[in-house]
Amino acid sequence: ISGGTVKNLAVRGNVNGGSRAGGIVAETSDKASIENCSYSGSVISRSHAGGIAGYNSDSNISGCYNSASVSVETSNLGSSYCGGIAGYNDAWDADAKITDCYNAGKVHGMALGSGYNAYTGGIAGYSRMGTAAEIKNCYNTGAVSAETVYNAMAITGGIVGSGSGTITGSYYLDT
């Protein structure tokens, strides 16, 4: 979705996407907004997977929750980005914010090859660009894990796998 708004949507299903997959949208851009949405079922991608959005670019996600299992399954060399809400939260040209969201689904990332990483987090796998990439008032109760093959690295976190964004008022409950 580019520059638009998706709101008050509840989806149940199974998404098996290509390089970017999400329960609500595969990718956001240009100050798009996803508000008060939920997803249950499963999401599988080869690179970027999120319960709500596979790739959140310069957009906002608020008041959403995910109870689906989210995973990256790949046989290609490369890094992966897997999160309960967004696989990648990217504030390249504008703010990219995830606020008042929660994840209760299992999140599992995978990376193949030396020099590649499986960025896996309960809310976002990776969040970048300083204070413009913000995760605020979110929580995760889902299990977070990563699998690596051929000397890749697993970088996991209860909220965010890695990045340079700001995290405030958020927590992980290991259930």
Side-chain angles (χ1 to χ4, degrees):
I1 180 174
S2 179
T5 299
V6 176
K7 62 173 20 176
N8 303 324
L9 182 65
V11 178
R12 177 177 173 81
N14 299 303
V15 176
N16 192 342
S19 63
R20 294 182 179 169
I24 302 298
V25 299
E27 181 176 354
T28 64
S29 64
D30 295 328
K31 300 179 183 176
S33 180
I34 301 175
E35 304 168 11
N36 303 318
C37 293
S38 64
Y39 183 73
S40 62
S42 68
V43 176
I44 300 170
S45 171
R46 290 190 316 267
S47 176
H48 296 71
I52 301 299
Y55 191 93
N56 185 46
S57 177
D58 304 326
S59 300
N60 296 312
I61 300 172
S62 64
C64 295
Y65 71 90
N66 172 59
S67 59
S69 64
V70 180
S71 63
V72 169
E73 298 176 3
T74 185
S75 60
N76 298 323
L77 291 176
S79 292
S80 69
Y81 307 90
C82 190
I85 300 298
Y88 201 115
N89 189 47
D90 189 7
W92 184 253
D93 290 325
D95 290 349
K97 297 186 179 194
I98 300 172
T99 57
D100 303 320
C101 294
Y102 74 89
N103 173 62
K106 177 182 171 184
V107 182
H108 182 77
M110 181 180 191
L112 300 174
S114 181
Y116 296 109
N117 302 312
Y119 298 102
T120 310
I123 300 299
Y126 196 91
S127 187
R128 85 169 179 161
M129 296 312 276
T131 58
E134 180 180 29
I135 294 173
K136 183 176 180 182
N137 300 333
C138 295
Y139 70 92
N140 173 46
T141 60
V144 178
S145 61
E147 175 183 353
T148 60
V149 181
Y150 305 122
N151 299 317
M153 291 185 62
I155 300 174
T156 62
I159 300 297
V160 175
S162 187
S164 60
T166 302
I167 302 169
T168 56
S170 299
Y171 58 93
Y172 169 58
L173 293 175
D174 187 9
T175 56

